[in-house]
Amino acid sequence: MAHKGVVLSNNASFTEVFDPTVWAETFNGRCIDNGEPATSVGAAAFRDQILAQNAGKSKELRLRSCRLGINALIALAHMNAEREVSVIDLADNNIANYGLLAVRSLLTNTGCRYMDLSSNSISTEGANELAAEIISNPKLLGLELGNLSHGMKKNTVGTGGAVAFAEALTKNQTLNALSLCDNQVGPEGGEAIGAALMYNQSLHTLKLGSNPLGVAGVVPVLRNGSRLASLDLSNTRITSDVGQLICNLIRSNQRLILLHLGNNSLGLTGITALCQGLSSNHSLVQLNVSANHIGDEGCAVLSRALRGNNTLTHLNLSGNNIGYTGVQHLVHILDQTTISILHLSRNPLEDATAELFADYITRERERELFGSVPVSVLTLAACRIKDDGALALFDACRHSRYLRTLKLSNNFLSERLDSVVLNLLSQNSSLIDLNLSGTRISHVILSKIRKLCRRNAAELDRQEAKRLKQEIYRLVHNKDKLIQARAELTRVEAALRKTETEYSAVDDEMHVFTQVETVKKQQLFENIEEARIKQHDLKQRILDRRAELIAVESQVNQASQAMKDEYAEVVLERQRLMEQQDRFKSDYEKAVKYWPSAVAALKSELERARKEKREAQQVTESWRNQLRALNATPEGHVRDSSTVTVEHRRPFEFATPFKP
């Protein structure tokens, strides 16, 4: 590598300072970038700086304020070619635009997820390079390009850089966080990023604070920020004109956790619109509306909107010209919220307001009974508080167990509070940060305060360590139970798997059985339907046969009646015949008795009849002859009928009547 040929100082063994020695190449590259000799003393200082920032962070690479340039970054990229790193912090270095190719190489080699390039003199040209990296690198989840408050090498990506990032956001669906704070981004840049939010589904953290966006640049961001979880629009020159858009964002975005709107001009109108959305939001945790000129009335409106809110924990109302009246509304609803960190610095609160907070802190135990969350951080810097207000606060904090931070810097506190403060800290073991700088409290007392606060912090750390140790003992004690429970769970899971297997087999059998039963059921239904049809036909035939039987029965009844009548007639006829038989029998007996004489008489009568027959035949023949003669008489001759005589007599009439 080119940087290996640098001329070293008399001490050429600086490589022995590093373990591993590969850091020596990075140090050598830094020396080339800064035009300074590579000495063992400088190497040791660089090593100590690296170790201090990266202690216990195997997956992170933190090199903030190490004066690294392009050569150091090239060495760093080669050194970490096969190392997986999730976070790289290169803030406040000398990277500039020409070093971003090395940064891209480092990102590719390490698979970095989050990169911090704050305060590195990156301009629009460098922003275009980083935008190209965002498009081509789906592993990168977060990019920080803001500026540190103490940094001298500011990033100025400008409107052109913001437009490049906006285009990258439309093509990238993995980037989660982007910070462009204090980068001279104008309204056009804000409009471009706001439009890109319509197409990007992954970005949830967007920081655009301290840029001259104005209302025109903020409106698209507010309209399309429904998927953001954190939004920083502080010091962006917005006014109450966007109040309704802020309301709509808070109301519709139930994933929004942090909203920073400080150092703007929302005023009463803007804060009132914001509160309309805040009353229906159940996700916001941190709200910063400092320096927005909301006044007492705006604080009262905000207090009413926060009543019953159980998500907001951080509230910053500093620099809003809030006095006693506004804070009175706020203190009254603190018990009904989850606010634990409250900032009210740079407001004309004075002693009366301090006494309100003193009363609130005094009722700490009472609120504990009702499960309220007490305020642990209270900032009242530059609030015109005098000795009386501070005394009330100190007296209330004397027995407080929850207040950890109290900031009263830049107030009108006199030196007569020295002993009071020391007495407070001697009795209070929970206060770990008491800031009284910018007052007339002596430096000696301030030093003692810091010492006592460190003592309290150490004691709390010890208590926390003790609590954690007890918790560890409890967990260790429960470890055997957990192992037993896991063994039992394993056994139960095995039994469950066996049962599931058996159940599966039974289920398969049941499935087959169900199919068979379904077929049988279908066949049975068909048989039943067929039997029903046959039954219907049989029933119809039975009805027809019954009708026939009824008809036959009627005929049989008629025939029976006729037979009965006939039988009666037969009986009568039989009786008559029997009577006639008896009569014939009697006649027969008489005939048998008188038959010989009757036969003789009949024979005699028969002979007589035969004689008469012959005579009749003769007479007949005589008539025939006469008739023939008559037929032969000429026309006009009249026959004399008197000449014809005939003896009229029955030919078979007995001469004497027959008597048996």
Side-chain angles (χ1 to χ4, degrees):
M1 297 176 62
H3 57 277
K4 287 185 178 181
V6 67
V7 178
L8 303 179
S9 63
N10 294 332
N11 188 353
S13 61
F14 73 90
T15 56
E16 299 177 357
V17 174
F18 297 99
D19 184 21
T21 57
V22 290
W23 279 105
E25 297 182 2
T26 304
F27 172 69
N28 200 16
R30 190 189 79 157
C31 292
I32 296 174
D33 293 329
N34 293 282
E36 60 186 25
T39 64
S40 58
V41 175
F46 182 61
R47 178 201 61 194
D48 294 341
Q49 188 177 14
I50 293 172
L51 292 177
Q53 295 190 47
N54 294 276
K57 301 173 182 177
S58 59
K59 294 292 184 180
E60 298 181 8
L61 182 59
R62 298 190 177 275
L63 299 169
R64 175 171 296 208
S65 303
C66 289
R67 297 187 296 134
L68 303 181
I70 183 171
N71 289 287
L73 288 176
I74 293 173
L76 198 63
H78 284 286
M79 184 183 77
N80 294 278
E82 297 180 357
R83 178 188 174 189
E84 183 178 353
V85 179
S86 59
V87 177
I88 298 179
D89 184 357
L90 295 174
D92 194 24
N93 281 291
N94 302 322
I95 298 174
N97 296 333
Y98 54 83
L100 291 178
L101 287 176
V103 170
R104 294 188 64 178
S105 178
L106 180 62
L107 287 171
T108 303
N109 291 346
T110 60
C112 178
R113 298 290 187 270
Y114 295 93
M115 171 71 79
D116 189 346
L117 294 173
S118 302
S119 298
N120 269 288
S121 302
I122 299 173
S123 63
T124 303
E125 182 182 352
N128 292 329
E129 194 71 32
L130 290 173
E133 179 66 19
I134 291 175
I135 295 174
S136 62
N137 187 353
K139 293 183 179 181
L140 186 62
L141 303 180
L143 180 60
E144 172 69 55
L145 283 173
N147 286 301
L148 303 179
S149 58
H150 61 277
M152 299 299 293
K153 300 174 284 293
K154 285 192 172 185
N155 293 332
T156 55
V157 300
T159 300
V163 172
F165 283 122
E167 183 180 357
L169 289 176
T170 61
K171 300 177 181 179
N172 177 286
Q173 296 297 327
T174 58
L175 193 70
N176 298 150
L178 176 63
S179 175
L180 298 176
C181 292
D182 192 17
N183 266 270
Q184 300 180 12
V185 178
E188 294 82 1
E191 291 176 2
I193 291 177
L197 293 177
M198 297 176 59
Y199 307 98
N200 186 280
Q201 304 291 325
S202 63
L203 194 70
H204 59 66
T205 299
L206 179 61
K207 297 180 180 180
L208 296 174
S210 300
N211 283 298
L213 300 177
V215 173
V218 169
V219 166
V221 176
L222 294 174
R223 283 179 177 170
N224 303 320
S226 58
R227 288 181 292 271
L228 295 175
S230 176
L231 178 61
D232 183 357
L233 294 176
S234 60
N235 193 23
T236 53
R237 304 180 185 178
I238 58 177
T239 64
S240 59
D241 295 338
V242 299
Q244 190 58 46
L245 290 176
I246 297 173
C247 170
N248 296 339
L249 175 67
I250 297 175
R251 180 180 296 162
S252 61
N253 187 347
Q254 294 299 324
R255 294 188 294 180
L256 189 64
I257 297 174
L258 185 149
L259 181 60
H260 193 346
L261 299 172
N263 295 301
N264 284 297
S265 301
L266 293 179
L268 177 60
T269 304
I271 200 68
T272 302
L274 183 149
C275 290
Q276 292 175 359
L278 188 62
S279 58
S280 59
N281 181 278
H282 304 288
S283 64
L284 196 64
V285 175
Q286 298 184 36
L287 176 63
N288 188 333
V289 288
S290 59
N292 269 280
H293 315 293
I294 65 174
D296 288 339
E297 192 173 352
C299 186
V301 173
L302 182 61
S303 300
R304 287 192 293 269
L306 290 175
R307 188 186 302 274
N309 186 289
N310 58 0
T311 57
L312 193 71
T313 61
H314 294 60
L315 179 62
N316 192 334
L317 295 175
S318 301
N320 273 296
N321 196 29
I322 298 173
Y324 177 84
T325 305
V327 173
Q328 189 177 30
H329 289 91
L330 182 61
V331 171
H332 286 167
I333 61 96
L334 282 178
D335 293 343
Q336 305 173 43
T337 68
T338 55
I339 296 174
S340 60
I341 298 177
L342 179 60
H343 299 285
L344 285 168
S345 300
R346 304 190 309 281
N347 284 299
L349 302 182
E350 300 184 347
D351 290 345
T353 306
E355 291 171 0
L356 280 177
F357 281 110
D359 182 62
Y360 169 81
I361 296 171
T362 303
R363 291 185 290 106
E364 187 178 87
R365 294 180 180 273
E366 179 183 342
R367 292 194 304 277
E368 184 179 2
L369 297 175
F370 295 96
S372 299
V373 177
V375 172
S376 60
V377 176
L378 180 61
T379 303
L380 300 175
C383 289
R384 303 181 187 176
I385 297 174
K386 299 179 181 178
D387 289 351
D388 292 340
L391 284 171
L393 284 171
F394 293 155
D395 187 59
C397 293
R398 198 177 302 276
H399 303 291
S400 174
R401 295 190 303 163
Y402 295 99
L403 190 65
R404 296 288 184 268
T405 300
L406 177 62
K407 295 184 178 182
L408 295 174
S409 57
N410 298 309
N411 280 295
F412 305 142
L413 308 184
S414 67
E415 61 275 5
R416 70 186 184 91
L417 296 178
D418 292 356
S419 59
V420 177
V421 175
L422 292 178
N423 186 28
L424 161 67
L425 290 175
S426 65
Q427 299 180 31
N428 183 295
S429 59
S430 62
L431 200 63
I432 61 175
D433 185 8
L434 178 60
N435 191 338
L436 298 176
S437 61
T439 65
R440 297 181 64 182
I441 304 294
S442 66
H443 292 287
V444 175
I445 299 300
L446 292 179
S447 177
K448 292 181 178 180
I449 289 173
R450 287 191 291 270
K451 183 177 180 180
L452 291 172
C453 286
R454 286 195 297 270
R455 180 208 65 183
N456 289 345
E459 181 62 27
L460 288 175
D461 289 341
R462 282 193 295 271
Q463 292 178 3
E464 182 66 14
K466 183 178 179 181
R467 187 189 67 80
L468 292 175
K469 189 175 181 180
Q470 292 174 349
E471 184 69 14
I472 289 172
Y473 287 153
R474 187 185 67 82
L475 293 175
V476 170
H477 176 71
N478 292 332
K479 185 177 180 180
D480 294 337
K481 294 183 179 180
L482 180 60
I483 293 173
Q484 294 175 1
R486 285 178 178 173
E488 180 67 15
L489 179 62
T490 302
R491 187 186 64 78
V492 171
E493 287 177 348
L496 181 61
R497 285 193 295 270
K498 181 179 178 181
T499 304
E500 287 178 350
T501 304
E502 295 175 354
Y503 175 79
S504 178
V506 172
D507 188 59
D508 294 340
E509 293 178 2
M510 181 63 71
H511 181 67
V512 174
F513 176 77
T514 303
Q515 290 180 340
V516 173
E517 288 300 314
T518 302
V519 174
K520 290 182 178 180
K521 187 177 180 180
Q522 185 65 28
Q523 293 177 351
L524 182 60
F525 283 159
E526 292 175 357
N527 294 338
I528 291 173
E529 186 65 23
E530 184 178 356
R532 186 180 291 111
I533 295 172
K534 290 181 179 180
Q535 182 183 10
H536 181 269
D537 295 341
L538 181 60
K539 186 176 181 180
Q540 188 63 37
R541 288 200 299 272
I542 289 174
L543 292 175
D544 296 342
R545 186 59 59 83
R546 183 176 296 174
E548 293 176 1
L549 288 176
I550 292 173
V552 170
E553 184 180 5
S554 178
Q555 294 176 2
V556 168
N557 290 335
Q558 293 177 1
S560 176
Q561 187 64 33
M563 290 177 68
K564 287 180 180 180
D565 295 341
E566 185 177 357
Y567 177 74
E569 292 177 356
V570 169
V571 170
L572 293 175
E573 182 66 18
R574 182 174 177 276
Q575 292 177 355
R576 187 182 65 76
L577 290 175
M578 289 180 67
E579 292 175 355
Q580 187 177 5
Q581 182 181 3
D582 293 341
R583 189 172 62 252
F584 283 167
K585 186 176 181 180
S586 176
D587 289 344
Y588 176 73
E589 291 176 352
K590 290 180 181 181
V592 169
K593 183 178 180 180
Y594 296 105
W595 179 257
S597 60
V599 170
L602 285 172
K603 286 180 178 181
S604 175
E605 186 67 23
L606 181 60
E607 286 296 330
R608 189 184 63 80
R610 286 175 180 173
K611 184 178 178 180
E612 288 180 354
K613 180 179 178 181
R614 283 191 300 270
E615 290 177 356
Q617 287 176 351
Q618 291 174 2
V619 173
T620 299
E621 185 65 28
S622 174
W623 284 358
R624 286 175 181 172
N625 292 329
Q626 289 179 10
L627 285 173
R628 291 188 192 99
L630 288 174
N631 290 333
T633 303
E635 186 181 357
H637 178 76
V638 178
R639 292 179 302 177
D640 186 6
S641 60
S642 60
T643 60
V644 181
T645 59
V646 181
E647 183 179 2
H648 296 278
R649 185 181 177 180
R650 291 181 296 182
F652 300 102
E653 184 179 357
F654 294 104
T656 59
F658 173 75
K659 293 182 180 180

